[in-house]
Amino acid sequence: MASSRIWLSSPHMGGSELQYVSEAFSGNWIAPLGPNVTGFEEDLQGYLENDVLVAALSSGTAAIHLGLLLLGIGAGDEVLCQSFTFAASANPILYLGATPVFVDSEPDTWNICPFFLEQAIIDRIAKGKKPKAIIAVHLYGMPYKVDEVAKIAEKYDIPILEDSAEALGSTYKNRKCGTFGDVAALSFNGNKIITTSGGGALVTKSKDLKEKAIYLATQARENKPYYEHTEIGYNYRMSNISAGIGRGQMEVLNSHVALRRQMHDFYHSVFENVNGVTVFKEYSADCISNFWLTTILIDSKLTNGVTAEDIRIKLLEDNIEARPLWKPMHMQPVFKKYPYYGGNFCEKLFNAGLCLPSGSNLQVQEKERIRVALLKALRYNAK
Ligand SMILES: *Cc1c(COP(=O)(O)O)cnc(C)c1O
């Protein structure tokens, strides 16, 4: 293929990352602790506001795992989890020997459906076991129905783990995503809105919880001259090198959010006069998405039979990466045997949707290539 690859979402350095990494080298802080780790945590706390406390970890998955542990989840417990998500939202439930109970999404946000969430809680209680936690996800950066979900959680006294891995920079009623759950998880994987090459963070609301998270993430070592352990620990702390990248990325987070939102506007203009393609957008002025990824739904009855998969393949022929939406967890072979509450809404999303290249680093010429390829795939004459 002649032209270079256009990725769905690729790392985008701001410029000062290397300086922080270089400081780590000059101070010989080549370790999973140090000034960058502390500094990155402070940067995140300052950004998220609302008095949250952040523990930097080796991945978003580790944050979800420790978050569930801090909520007291153990073997035999049931955990409610949005089905329409990435497997990393649900896998840690299994790490703990607990059972996932999956819940369908609703049309406004594509996130956990409050109606089916309550149905699931009522039915699980009737079957003899009250679920111990709710994992709600701001998928693709779109805030879930925070108030509605919180109301149900309160009514049944079940804590929320907020999976904000894709939603750093999104807001709900002017408050940052990542500050709503009893605990929340962030991710800085290579494809996320900012990256530390690989990393994550747990957001907590108390000093005790943050300290407990760091203690568990550093092998649950007691404060003794020798190694004393009273609990099972993990090696989940973030490296001071990675945190240096994170500090540089925090300087450009707001501009990256603005650029991703511009990508979203760009797709609106591309599909303005195209039948059968809907760009997914905010349903209310209450929520602002970082549009980590711009997603579309295709109604092939209105596109002369062109499907999401046809478009994906056509883009690939032009060396442009697009991807189906997340395949729901209740449809995954590995999770099939667990309970599911809902209809077929998220299944329909999976069948009709597509994620489009959304990086904050896409250039004018690349956008033009995408535009032409999309219109070609839909058999429109690109002008
Ligand atoms: C990326 C992601 C995670 C996991 O984060 P890692 O840092 O890759 O471990 C969890 N949940 C969702 C929704 C994600 O997109």
Side-chain angles (χ1 to χ4, degrees), residues 66-136:
L66 290 188
L68 289 174
L69 264 171
L70 293 182
L71 296 179
I73 307 305
D77 291 336
E78 290 190 353
V79 176
L80 296 151
C81 182
Q82 184 168 322
S83 180
F84 188 53
T85 186
F86 177 44
S89 303
N91 281 336
I93 302 169
L94 277 297
Y95 300 169
L96 291 164
T99 302
V101 175
F102 294 112
V103 179
D104 203 354
S105 289
E106 51 80 28
D108 289 339
T109 68
W110 295 3
N111 292 315
I112 198 161
C113 169
F115 173 78
F116 286 121
L117 173 63
E118 185 161 21
Q119 293 294 300
I121 295 170
I122 292 169
D123 191 60
R124 297 323 287 175
I125 292 173
K127 289 193 161 71
K129 213 173 229 178
K130 184 173 125 179
K132 280 274 196 66
I134 298 165
I135 301 179

Side-chain angles (χ1 to χ4, degrees), residues 25 38 64-66 75 114 145 195 207 222 251 263 266 273-274 283 291 316 374-375:
F25 272 73
T38 316
I64 295 170
H65 188 184
L66 290 188
K145 292 204 162 158
T195 182
K207 196 161 163 279
E222 298 297 332
E251 294 177 9
M263 282 307 293
F266 159 73
N273 299 311
V274 174
Y283 74 103
F291 287 118
L316 200 58
L374 280 170
L375 294 180

Side-chain angles (χ1 to χ4, degrees), residues 151-210:
K151 212 168 129 197
I152 293 166
E154 247 166 64
K155 180 171 172 189
Y156 295 93
D157 193 23
I158 303 172
I160 295 175
L161 188 151
E162 178 191 2
D163 182 345
S164 199
E166 301 178 0
L168 184 59
S170 300
T171 61
Y172 177 85
K173 295 187 175 170
N174 287 322
R175 181 175 164 145
K176 296 261 168 36
C177 288
T179 64
F180 294 109
D182 293 85
V183 290
L186 302 174
S187 167
F188 315 109
N189 205 336
N191 60 353
K192 297 285 157 70
I193 189 130
I194 61 164
T195 182
T196 58
S197 75
L202 186 73
V203 185
T204 71
K205 290 180 169 162
S206 80
K207 196 161 163 279
D208 286 352
L209 278 188
K210 173 174 170 172

